[in-house]
Structure formats: C-alpha cells, structure tokens
Amino acid sequence: MFALVKIVVSAIIIGGATEAARRYPAFGGVIAALPLVSLLSLFWLYFQGEEIRILSKFIDGVLWGLPATAFLLFVIGLCFKASFPFSLSVALGIVGWGMFLMIQNILFKNM
C-alpha cells in the first residue's frame, strides 16, 4: 500500500511540474531544475525509516551525479539548437552522460 502512495504522490508532483512547463516553459524549466526526484527519494527513504548514514550516502551519490546530469542537459540543448530530432538529441545526451560519468570516475576516484 505504501508503494502505491509513493507512486501516486510522486506522479502528481512530476505531472504538476510538466503541466507548468507546458504552459510556462521558462518557469517549468526552473521547476524541473529543482531536485524533485532527489528530494522525493530522500523523503521516501527517511519516511521508510532509513538510517541517516544511508541518507548521507544517497546525497553523496546525487552530488556525484550532478556534473554528468548538467552535461547531459547541455548536450541535449545543443542538439535542439542544431535542430536534431528529439530521440537523437536525448540518445546523444545519455551517451554523453555515461561517458562523462566514466571519465569523472577515472579522474577522481583514483585520487
């Protein structure tokens, strides 16, 4: 039952954000830039009784993924400006995200 509540509440929040983006694209972008998924996940983990140690590791993972996510959005934005099709733009963004993470791990995990 709790899983269903999580799904419904999360869907409502994400749906609201996309509706705002549809009506007001710039404002929707600001809302989408909020760490909605991260905060929702953190909230659900906490509400389920996870230890602070686990929440801290989760936040570390989110922070580790931020640069690659920014790169993904940058690549997709460039592709859109170059009039690439949507699916190709997203695919290139995801590939760029994966490559960025690999390079980041190689450069910084060995330090």
Side-chain angles (χ1 to χ4, degrees):
M1 180 66 180
F2 184 66
L4 182 61
V5 170
K6 288 193 304 189
I7 291 168
V8 170
V9 170
S10 300
I12 289 170
I13 291 171
I14 292 168
T18 57
E19 280 303 307
R22 198 169 63 82
R23 291 190 179 106
Y24 311 101
F27 179 65
V30 171
I31 291 172
L34 294 171
L36 290 175
V37 173
S38 300
L39 287 174
L40 280 171
S41 300
L42 187 64
F43 173 78
W44 295 129
L45 288 167
Y46 175 79
F47 193 68
Q48 290 172 187
E50 290 297 334
E51 299 175 10
I52 294 298
R53 176 182 57 82
I54 299 296
L55 300 177
S56 179
K57 285 185 178 184
F58 172 77
I59 293 298
D60 289 347
V62 170
L63 289 171
W64 188 253
L66 280 177
T69 299
F71 187 73
L72 172 141
L73 295 171
F74 176 74
V75 169
I76 292 173
L78 284 179
C79 289
F80 285 166
K81 286 184 170 117
S83 299
F84 284 28
F86 178 81
S87 1
L88 178 60
S89 300
V90 171
L92 290 173
I94 291 170
V95 168
W97 175 81
M99 290 173 40
F100 194 102
L101 273 179
M102 286 190 326
I103 292 167
Q104 179 178 297
N105 283 333
I106 291 167
L107 291 176
F108 294 106
K109 285 287 187 169
N110 294 328
M111 294 182 125

